[in-house]
Amino acid sequence: MASTAELAERYRAVLPSFISPLYNRPISISHGEGSRVFDNEGNPYLDFFGGILTTMIGHANPVVVEAVQSQAAKVMHTSTLYLNEEMIAFAEEVAAVSGIPDPRVLFTTSGSEANDTAILLATNYRSTNQVLAMRNSYHGRSLTAQAVTSHRAWSTSSYSGLDVHFVQGGYRLRSPFRHLDDGAFTDACVEDLVQLIDMTDSGGFGALIAEPIQGVGGFATPPDGFFGAMGKVLRSEGILFISDEVQTGWGRTGEHFWGYGAHGITPDAITFAKGVGNGITLAGIVARAELMNCLKRSSLTTFGGNPLSTAAGRATLRYVLDNDLQSNAAARGAQMRKRLAPVCDASPHVAELRGKGLMQAIEFCHPASIEPDAATTARVLESAKDRGLLVGKGGLYGNVVRITPMLNVTEAELDEGLDILAQVIETLD
Ligand code: PMP
């Protein structure tokens, strides 16, 4: 087996410069089990990032391994040209948990493609190229998904043909309305939305696309009810609401199965990816039939809904529901908050601890300010890794640590990881 050091050199030599390993001293991952992974030298790590919230119910989860192995031995690919029970059954199962009336489901290969599809549908349905998105958003790397992304570190192009306007409110800590209480903050953002539409509408907006909790943006969390209040304005204008649940879906927030559940709004479309197949390539969109069926031409995605990925999706969703992992996310989320809140309150380096359930984040700033401190964030990441804990990075300025354990993380595993993180924060000079 190649050493970690050798792999780091080969990675740099053959992959594009725009992708990079998380750590200054990168680690390899040779295998995993449950909440733990092991590098090529056999060192164990507690994994509280899951390959970006994607290994959702544990590494090598036997139910997913079994589903993938037995499906692989039968047939791996057929395409949507043929009837395949795994795809149809999983579409039915996703439809049933979506909360969208009369839903239709399309599987895709990435979150970007799912969001592309949502925007394709909304702009066709509403006959417009105008779209609304939130400030501090991330929706993917395709040209359309980039167009609705407003996170400078990850914005590679604005060349899409869409006319996108960005709405206030996703990222409260750096909002001009940050000093207001929840209700007044929401009202101010809604007023801004009204004015934005008033001033920039040139034939009608197709949709507002939003992450209920902004993922790459550092788990920026608007007040509960925020999107419901936005939704009233949207509805009065006929503008659709697309909830990008790529990070917030499947019970991760603990209190609801989907992130939109905190807001008193039913989206016209939900996009999902990442955790849905516990690591197998799988994503998709579920939308009202009237919206999903609005295209007048044919459109397919070759790999979308292939039997292998949908078998993994079915096993994962069944496991989440059968084991009530949403409740575990709520309980473990409360445990995380209880352990980290006093540590964060006492640290001059922490501006905010935020998020819900098993998606929580710590924003690091220079003391007594909201001036981002990416250097301290990088130190926290490296130091946690050196002590055997993997967490993620995020935020507009790379100054946010994201903590997203598996949905089936145990109380003891969480304690173990949080102790490491607490020690790291407490010993920052
Ligand atoms: N939406 C959100 C909220 C995401 O976090 C991501 C990925 N980080 C995407 C869309 C894009 O997904 P993918 O990388 O699978 O294209």
Side-chain angles (χ1 to χ4, degrees):
M1 191 188 295
S3 71
T4 295
E6 180 195 328
L7 286 181
E9 241 173 71
R10 284 164 58 191
Y11 177 112
R12 202 50 309 151
V14 74
L15 296 177
S17 60
F18 57 76
I19 68 160
S20 46
L22 181 57
Y23 299 108
N24 296 332
R25 278 168 290 120
I27 61 162
S28 56
I29 293 182
S30 88
H31 63 285
E33 196 184 332
S35 284
R36 284 176 213 273
V37 290
F38 301 84
D39 67 17
N40 282 15
E41 283 72 31
N43 300 306
Y45 301 88
L46 252 183
D47 184 1
F48 282 8
F49 202 38
I52 324 178
L53 296 83
T54 299
T55 308
M56 182 171 79
I57 56 169
H59 292 278
N61 186 311
V63 305
V64 183
V65 171
E66 206 285 317
V68 168
Q69 283 176 339
S70 68
Q71 187 58 49
K74 283 195 255 172
V75 63
M76 282 197 254
H77 177 73
T78 61
S79 88
T80 45
L81 297 180
Y82 309 97
L83 305 180
N84 143 359
E85 190 164 357
E86 291 302 316
M87 177 183 70
I88 296 165
F90 192 43
E92 290 164 349
E93 288 156 10
V94 170
V97 297
S98 70
I100 292 182
D102 194 21
R104 298 292 184 276
V105 180
L106 176 79
F107 296 113
T108 63
T109 48
S110 69
S112 303
E113 192 191 350
N115 284 331
D116 251 20
T117 307
I119 292 166
L120 173 79
L121 293 172
T123 50
N124 266 274
Y125 183 79
R126 296 264 301 146
S127 302
T128 180
N129 73 333
Q130 288 202 292
V131 177
L132 296 165
M134 302 303 294
R135 296 192 184 186
N136 196 45
S137 59
Y138 181 86
H139 295 290
R141 68 177 296 275
S142 67
L143 279 183
T144 334
Q146 283 280 281
V148 289
T149 287
S150 59
H151 187 299
R152 190 168 161 171
W154 293 95
S155 289
T156 55
S157 174
S158 62
Y159 191 68
S160 74
L162 290 175
D163 178 31
V164 183
H165 294 264
F166 290 97
V167 177
Q168 292 278 2
Y171 189 15
R172 194 166 173 180
L173 185 72
R174 293 178 197 283
S175 162
F177 310 131
R178 66 179 168 274
H179 304 296
L180 302 176
D181 67 26
D182 282 6
F185 176 83
T186 298
D187 289 347
C189 295
V190 169
E191 268 181 49
D192 186 69
L193 172 67
V194 169
Q195 190 187 58
L196 184 71
I197 294 171
D198 208 24
M199 290 180 169
T200 60
D201 180 315
S202 47
F205 284 92
L208 167 66
I209 182 167
E211 305 152 88
I213 296 177
Q214 294 180 326
V216 176
F219 297 169
T221 310
D224 285 357
F226 180 90
F227 290 110
M230 291 266 161
K232 288 191 188 126
V233 177
L234 301 177
R235 249 192 319 278
S236 72
E237 300 276 340
I239 302 170
L240 307 175
F241 180 62
I242 301 164
S243 193
D244 178 340
E245 301 275 356
V246 166
Q247 300 211 8
T248 44
W250 318 107
R252 182 164 284 281
T253 66
E255 53 181 33
H256 297 281
F257 195 72
W258 301 104
Y260 77 74
H263 294 279
I265 186 170
T266 303
D268 297 283
I270 296 171
T271 55
F272 55 87
K274 292 204 190 287
V276 58
N278 201 40
I280 291 285
T281 308
L282 178 60
I285 167 169
V286 46
R288 292 195 282 116
E290 197 193 357
L291 173 59
M292 188 73 101
N293 294 335
C294 77
L295 296 187
K296 299 288 178 280
R297 308 281 170 90
S298 300
S299 179
L300 70 71
T301 168
T302 302
F303 287 120
N306 85 67
L308 193 67
S309 61
T310 45
R314 293 190 76 193
T316 305
L317 179 57
R318 207 176 312 123
Y319 191 89
V320 167
L321 296 175
D322 288 353
N323 293 286
D324 190 12
L325 295 189
Q326 184 186 324
S327 294
N328 193 54
R332 301 284 75 78
Q335 180 187 347
M336 179 153 29
R337 197 43 89 106
K338 193 167 169 214
R339 179 71 178 93
L340 291 180
V343 176
C344 291
D345 284 347
S347 172
H349 302 281
V350 173
E352 193 169 64
L353 167 66
R354 59 178 177 246
K356 289 184 174 182
L358 286 174
M359 57 184 304
Q360 301 208 25
I362 302 172
E363 175 147 1
F364 289 90
C365 291
H366 290 285
S369 77
I370 57 166
E371 196 191 323
D373 188 351
T376 294
T377 312
R379 271 166 59 211
V380 170
L381 246 84
E382 295 280 338
S383 169
K385 178 257 293 178
D386 292 342
R387 295 174 200 215
L389 173 69
L390 307 184
V391 288
K393 195 166 77 168
L396 188 57
Y397 306 104
N399 65 321
V400 177
V401 166
R402 291 190 283 167
I403 314 146
T404 60
M406 309 294 159
L407 295 188
N408 54 346
V409 69
T410 65
E411 187 175 353
E413 286 165 345
L414 194 60
D415 266 340
E416 184 186 334
L418 294 177
D419 280 350
I420 296 175
L421 191 57
Q423 275 165 22
V424 169
I425 296 171
E426 280 162 355
T427 51
L428 285 168
D429 54 14

